[in-house]
Every structure is written in C-alpha cells, then in structure tokens.
Amino acid sequence: MNNSVFSIYNVQKDSWYSPKEIINRFEQVRSVYGNRIYDSVFKKAHEMFAGAVALLGAYELSPENKYFMQLNTQSSSPDIIAAKQTEQDKTGILLEINQMEITEFENHYKSDDIIEFLKSTKLSPKKDYGEKVMIICVINKKIPFDHRKIHKALTEIKPKSTIYIIGRPIDAKMGGFTICTPYPRLTKPLNFNVDT
C-alpha cells in the first residue's frame, strides 16, 4: 500500500481486534476444521494469526508496542493494518498506523537462506515498502538461525521497513514462539507464549 492509497484508507470501515482475540478465534476455527485449516481458503486467517503472534511478540520486546489490528479489505496490500494509540501533550491521542506484510518461509522454498527468501518475496526490487511497514517473516521450517548474520545481511540491503522474524522453537510447548527484530535495530531472539 503506497502512501497515496493509504491516505484514503478508512480506519473505521472494519472492526479492530486485539491480537489475543485473533489467536482465540483462529484456534476456534482450527478446532472445527482440523488440518483443513491449511487450505488456501484460510489464507487470510493465517495472515491474521501470524500478525497477532508478531504483535504479541513485539509487545514482549517492548511494552510500548501495544497494537490492535484489522484485516485490510480495502486494497491488495498490505495484508494487515496495526494501530496503537500514543498520548500527546495538548493535541490529544495520536493513532499511529502501521502496515503489516506477512510472508511464510516454509519447506517448499528451495533453500535454507532467509535473506535469499526475503529478497525473492518482500524485499524484492519490485516491492517498495516504506518505514511504516512491518514485514513479518514466519519461519515454518527447521533451519539454523543466526540473528546476527541476518542483521548484517539486512544492513547491507538497507530496507526501509522493520523486519520481524517469528517461529516455533524445536520442542516448543503449545503456544510457544520465538521473535526477533533483525532490522533496523537488532534484538536478541525472545521466547514467549501466546497462551500466557
């Protein structure tokens, strides 16, 4: 979503949800449909789930990251709109809006290189995401993960967006995830549980 399209985005058109509510609703759908939850008809539900996990993880990284979210139904990009309220001095409360683009690094991808994957998807030269975009890379494959190496490679590319990487650690308990921000500011991987 470029800025000209975003300037006409109606934040009141659709409902806003807490990340926790999205996770609960996704689990309700999963309890009804089982493994069919991975069918393409549930693509938007998966994007909302991944966005909710990322927003809960972002909150764990810094309590100022207290976002609500809505599915973007007004244009093809971004996938999700995230917003948080920030109190200002005399001007009242500012609604800070960020765009979320979700991509999934899974077993079907030909290599284990996250940077190569990002360059072929969300960091492709065909894409031009700005600084108000959060790119969420969901790792859904067993790979070695070195957040410092990823940070170094992203520093050379210099994307405008903030990159979050989320995944499930090997042998994670139900609801367990890991999140880190390799760019622009490197954070250590943090384990957290969406159920708690």
Side-chain angles (χ1 to χ4, degrees):
M1 179 182 289
N2 62 39
N3 287 334
S4 62
V5 173
F6 196 65
S7 64
I8 60 171
Y9 185 85
N10 181 355
V11 296
Q12 297 178 339
K13 182 179 178 203
D14 295 305
S15 298
W16 289 91
Y17 301 95
S18 72
K20 186 64 179 161
E21 184 173 354
I22 293 299
I23 288 169
N24 290 340
R25 288 185 180 200
F26 185 82
E27 291 305 329
Q28 288 172 344
V29 172
R30 186 195 316 254
S31 72
V32 172
Y33 291 97
N35 284 337
R36 291 187 313 182
I37 193 76
Y38 301 106
D39 293 350
S40 61
V41 72
F42 295 107
K43 181 178 188 277
K44 293 295 181 186
H46 275 277
E47 290 172 349
M48 286 292 280
F49 177 79
V53 170
L55 291 177
L56 287 176
Y59 177 78
E60 291 295 320
L61 290 171
S62 175
E64 69 184 31
N65 292 327
K66 190 172 186 178
Y67 285 95
F68 287 85
M69 59 193 298
Q70 71 179 195
L71 183 64
N72 175 19
T73 61
Q74 299 174 40
S75 63
S76 61
S77 179
D79 300 317
I80 298 165
I81 305 296
K84 68 178 178 176
Q85 295 179 340
T86 304
E87 288 189 35
Q88 304 215 312
D89 296 332
K90 296 179 182 179
T91 56
I93 296 176
L94 173 69
L95 183 65
E96 291 186 58
I97 301 209
N98 283 283
Q99 304 164 51
M100 297 178 75
E101 283 289 331
I102 313 294
T103 188
E104 186 175 356
F105 185 48
E106 59 183 348
N107 286 327
H108 296 38
Y109 191 72
K110 60 188 178 225
S111 84
D112 289 344
D113 188 332
I114 294 174
I115 297 300
E116 180 185 309
F117 171 74
L118 286 171
K119 285 166 89 175
S120 71
T121 56
K122 299 300 179 182
L123 299 181
S124 161
K126 298 174 189 173
K127 312 273 183 179
D128 185 24
Y129 297 119
E131 62 185 36
K132 290 293 184 183
V133 176
M134 294 183 256
I135 295 174
I136 312 301
C137 179
V138 179
I139 298 176
N140 197 7
K141 130 186 224 180
K142 289 182 183 179
I143 59 165
F145 183 76
D146 183 342
H147 65 290
R148 289 181 185 92
K149 182 179 175 184
I150 294 168
H151 171 72
K152 184 178 179 186
L154 288 171
T155 301
E156 292 172 11
I157 298 169
K158 295 183 177 137
K160 297 174 190 168
S161 306
T162 299
I163 313 289
Y164 286 96
I165 297 179
I166 60 173
R168 291 185 46 79
I170 295 172
D171 300 326
K173 293 181 181 176
M174 183 64 89
F177 288 89
T178 297
I179 187 169
C180 78
T181 310
Y183 189 85
R185 186 177 60 86
L186 178 64
T187 64
K188 292 189 319 188
L190 173 75
N191 291 330
F192 68 103
N193 192 297
V194 297
D195 294 333
T196 58

